Each structure stands twice: as C-alpha cells, then as structure tokens.
Amino acid sequence: QVQLVESGGGLVQAGGSLRLSCAASGRTFSNYVMGWFRQAPGKEREFVAVISRSGGDTAYADSVKGRFTISRDNAKSTVYLQMNSLKPEDTAVYYCAAARLYYIRSPTTEADFGSWGQGTQVTVSS
C-alpha cells in the first residue's frame, strides 16, 4: 500500500483560503486515483474531490464545486486540495486517500480507497 501524509490544515476565517497537500510514498504514485474526503464532528466521512491518475479528470461533491480544486504532481508524488471561499460548514478533518483504479468511478465511494492518511484539521470561523 501507499503511505499518505496530509499537511496544510489550520484555522481560517470564512471567505479565506487554504491549500492542503498529501505526500505519498511507498508505491508508484501515478498508479493511483487520488481522493479527498472529510469528516465533520458527529457526521460520517464524506467525499470531497477525486482526480484521475494523469490528473486530466476530476470530480467534486456539489457542496464544494466551484470553490475547491484538486490537482496532483506525479513527479512529486503529491496531491493538493486548494480550498477557496471557505465556509464554517467546511470545518472538518480532511483525509486524502489512494485507490488502485484505472479511472474515476461515479459515484466515488470510500470503499474504492485502500490507503488513507491520518487527516488534517480544517477549522473555518464565522
């Protein structure tokens, strides 16, 4: 399995921006579809965004579409989540995950992802 380490979380005011990073190691990064999920207090973990192996195909949850952008740099074995226009309801622990898939599945579900990072806290104040 690939090992994943997230970074970039923190406290930000509503309307602000954060960029999360997820560094991968242990396997060939470009062999994995990469995703971001989040879990708010008292809620189940939910899908946020996913990106194909090459980076040419992406998909987003409706709640973040137009505000968040997922990208990847296969040379650096890193996936990113640029989060703009943040809202208090975006507050959650954000996890990156890796899936041994050839392409993005729709819908994207947790069950497809076999490797997970430890999570990074994002808190958006109103």
Side-chain angles (χ1 to χ4, degrees):
Q1 289 187 345
V2 63
Q3 287 75 51
L4 304 172
V5 178
E6 301 98 335
S7 61
L11 174 64
V12 63
Q13 288 188 333
S17 298
L18 279 176
R19 188 196 197 201
L20 305 183
S21 299
C22 174
S25 62
R27 290 290 186 268
T28 303
F29 181 68
S30 58
N31 285 346
Y32 291 84
V33 166
M34 297 299 297
W36 285 97
F37 293 78
R38 67 186 181 185
Q39 187 167 22
K43 295 187 177 181
E44 293 185 352
R45 190 156 56 186
E46 64 176 4
F47 164 71
V48 175
V50 64
I51 189 166
S52 62
R53 290 181 167 193
S54 68
D57 192 17
T58 59
Y60 298 89
D62 287 343
S63 59
V64 307
K65 204 171 292 183
R67 299 188 297 122
F68 290 11
T69 302
I70 188 172
S71 61
R72 68 190 295 164
D73 185 336
N74 285 345
K76 295 183 178 179
S77 297
T78 302
V79 62
Y80 305 96
L81 186 68
Q82 178 67 43
M83 305 185 295
N84 298 330
S85 302
L86 281 161
K87 304 175 181 179
E89 51 263 45
D90 294 318
T91 295
V93 177
Y94 282 71
Y95 299 89
C96 74
R100 287 298 304 266
L101 297 173
Y102 288 101
Y103 48 82
I104 292 174
R105 285 184 181 173
S106 181
T108 299
T109 64
E110 286 189 41
D112 290 331
F113 293 80
S115 299
W116 292 81
Q118 82 289 351
T120 186
Q121 176 70 47
V122 171
T123 303
V124 184
S125 63
S126 58

